[in-house]
Amino acid sequence: IAPLFDILADSEPDSDEVPAKSKDKATKSKGHGQIAIVIDDLGYSKYTRDIIDMDQNVTAAFLPDAPHVTEYMQRAADKGHEIIIHMPMEAGHFDKEEKSILKIGMSKDEVYERLDAAFEKVPLAIGINNHTGSKYTSDYEALRPVMFYLRAHDKFMLDSRTIASSKVPDAAEDLGVPYLVRHVFIDHFDDDKEIDEALSNVERIARENGFVIAIGHPRPKTVKALKAWLPELESRGYSLIKLSTLLQR
């Protein structure tokens, strides 16, 4: 099936990355389309609990070095949310580095050790997505050990798509790893009007493409917008789905 359209996607707001384009295949779904919401950066923010206590399905993406991450993970799982690891990866220009960061030039053993440690802290995680990572995800060779690890442990990767030159799809396809690609950052701009416009864009892409993956962050304006928006989706013909549902497409 030919690509339906190019989606202009905003860069991750806590990184140095530039806007990226993502192509997706058109698929048919009932109603106006399927929407998967991922919330990054969970663990450090005081709004983590607001996100994981939501009644609607979201995918909780936890930073593995965050304090009390295992307890937060269990609380999110008890609420029925899917769990992934928001794995720190090397960016082009980003000063703050997490302890678990994956960097270009690391040996396979080093990569495996850091992924092992991350999954030990977040054992219910079914996959990963990249935290920042413009430099790392642009390097095919650097991604190879990550993909080997994910394949061996039956995990998948969500490409946060923080840069247009991401090699995640290429590496995942070549090495047989299930993967997905982010379409929209909900809160690239921490502004009520901008967030509302981003959510309208989420709906548009769902209608046109059949599905959409949107990423947000645990911030007060985002939490407020999602609490108002999520409960209304089903009545307006959209299906709020678990992220892993899209792996079956």
Side-chain angles (χ1 to χ4, degrees), residues 137-158:
T137 59
S138 296
D139 191 306
Y140 182 92
E141 291 302 318
L143 287 167
R144 284 174 60 84
V146 175
M147 296 304 168
F148 282 128
Y149 182 97
L150 295 176
R151 186 177 70 186
H153 292 82
D154 195 26
K155 308 294 185 183
F156 72 93
M157 181 164 181
L158 167 64

Side-chain angles (χ1 to χ4, degrees), residues 19-107:
K21 283 188 177 181
S22 172
K23 289 188 177 181
D24 291 276
K25 295 180 179 180
T27 53
K28 294 185 181 296
S29 62
K30 296 179 181 179
H32 293 322
Q34 298 176 317
I35 297 175
I37 302 294
V38 180
I39 305 298
D40 282 353
D41 292 353
L42 292 177
Y44 287 109
S45 171
K46 66 180 182 179
Y47 295 99
T48 293
R49 190 177 293 267
D50 292 86
I51 295 296
I52 62 181
D53 283 346
M54 286 183 175
D55 293 327
Q56 295 77 27
N57 286 329
V58 297
T59 295
F62 287 100
L63 287 161
D65 297 322
H68 313 298
V69 66
T70 306
E71 291 85 352
Y72 279 137
M73 173 207 69
Q74 188 61 59
R75 186 180 180 95
D78 290 344
K79 288 289 291 186
H81 303 308
E82 286 192 327
I83 313 296
I84 62 174
I85 292 171
H86 193 39
M87 193 69 195
M89 298 185 186
E90 186 176 3
H93 302 284
F94 193 59
D95 294 333
K96 184 178 179 181
E97 289 190 355
E98 298 287 329
K99 180 180 177 181
S100 297
I101 192 168
L102 300 180
K103 303 186 75 171
I104 293 172
M106 283 183 170
S107 69

Side-chain angles (χ1 to χ4, degrees), residues 4-249:
L4 179 63
F5 59 89
D6 284 349
I7 302 165
L8 183 61
D10 293 316
S11 63
E12 185 168 3
D14 61 353
S15 70
D16 65 320
E17 281 80 333
V18 298
K21 283 188 177 181
S22 172
K23 289 188 177 181
D24 291 276
K25 295 180 179 180
T27 53
K28 294 185 181 296
S29 62
K30 296 179 181 179
H32 293 322
Q34 298 176 317
I35 297 175
I37 302 294
V38 180
I39 305 298
D40 282 353
D41 292 353
L42 292 177
Y44 287 109
S45 171
K46 66 180 182 179
Y47 295 99
T48 293
R49 190 177 293 267
D50 292 86
I51 295 296
I52 62 181
D53 283 346
M54 286 183 175
D55 293 327
Q56 295 77 27
N57 286 329
V58 297
T59 295
F62 287 100
L63 287 161
D65 297 322
H68 313 298
V69 66
T70 306
E71 291 85 352
Y72 279 137
M73 173 207 69
Q74 188 61 59
R75 186 180 180 95
D78 290 344
K79 288 289 291 186
H81 303 308
E82 286 192 327
I83 313 296
I84 62 174
I85 292 171
H86 193 39
M87 193 69 195
M89 298 185 186
E90 186 176 3
H93 302 284
F94 193 59
D95 294 333
K96 184 178 179 181
E97 289 190 355
E98 298 287 329
K99 180 180 177 181
S100 297
I101 192 168
L102 300 180
K103 303 186 75 171
I104 293 172
M106 283 183 170
S107 69
K108 180 182 70 173
D109 288 343
E110 288 176 305
V111 171
Y112 283 12
E113 286 173 5
R114 296 202 174 190
L115 287 168
D116 273 341
F119 277 100
E120 285 175 8
K121 294 175 183 176
V122 194
L124 297 181
I126 59 174
I128 69 171
N129 73 330
N130 52 293
H131 172 56
T132 67
S134 58
K135 185 174 182 179
Y136 196 89
T137 59
S138 296
D139 191 306
Y140 182 92
E141 291 302 318
L143 287 167
R144 284 174 60 84
V146 175
M147 296 304 168
F148 282 128
Y149 182 97
L150 295 176
R151 186 177 70 186
H153 292 82
D154 195 26
K155 308 294 185 183
F156 72 93
M157 181 164 181
L158 167 64
D159 184 1
S160 299
R161 198 72 177 179
T162 52
I163 194 165
S165 59
S166 173
K167 298 297 188 297
V168 169
D170 294 336
E173 287 186 11
D174 290 349
L175 298 173
V177 175
Y179 75 97
L180 298 165
V181 180
R182 183 270 309 170
H183 300 94
V184 177
F185 277 123
I186 295 169
D187 47 11
H188 175 57
F189 299 101
D190 189 23
D191 174 84
D192 290 328
K193 182 178 178 181
E194 295 286 350
I195 290 170
D196 287 343
E197 289 179 359
L199 293 176
S200 294
N201 194 33
V202 168
E203 294 182 18
R204 176 186 65 79
I205 294 170
R207 291 193 302 270
E208 295 177 358
N209 195 44
F211 73 98
V212 62
I213 299 170
I215 291 179
H217 299 81
R219 301 170 182 162
K221 290 185 174 73
T222 304
V223 169
K224 176 185 174 182
L226 288 177
K227 284 184 175 180
W229 180 72
L230 289 174
E232 302 297 323
L233 286 178
E234 185 175 354
S235 66
R236 292 193 287 109
Y238 298 95
S239 298
L240 185 64
I241 61 167
K242 293 181 181 294
L243 184 64
S244 63
T245 302
L246 297 175
L247 295 171
Q248 303 166 17
R249 287 179 171 268

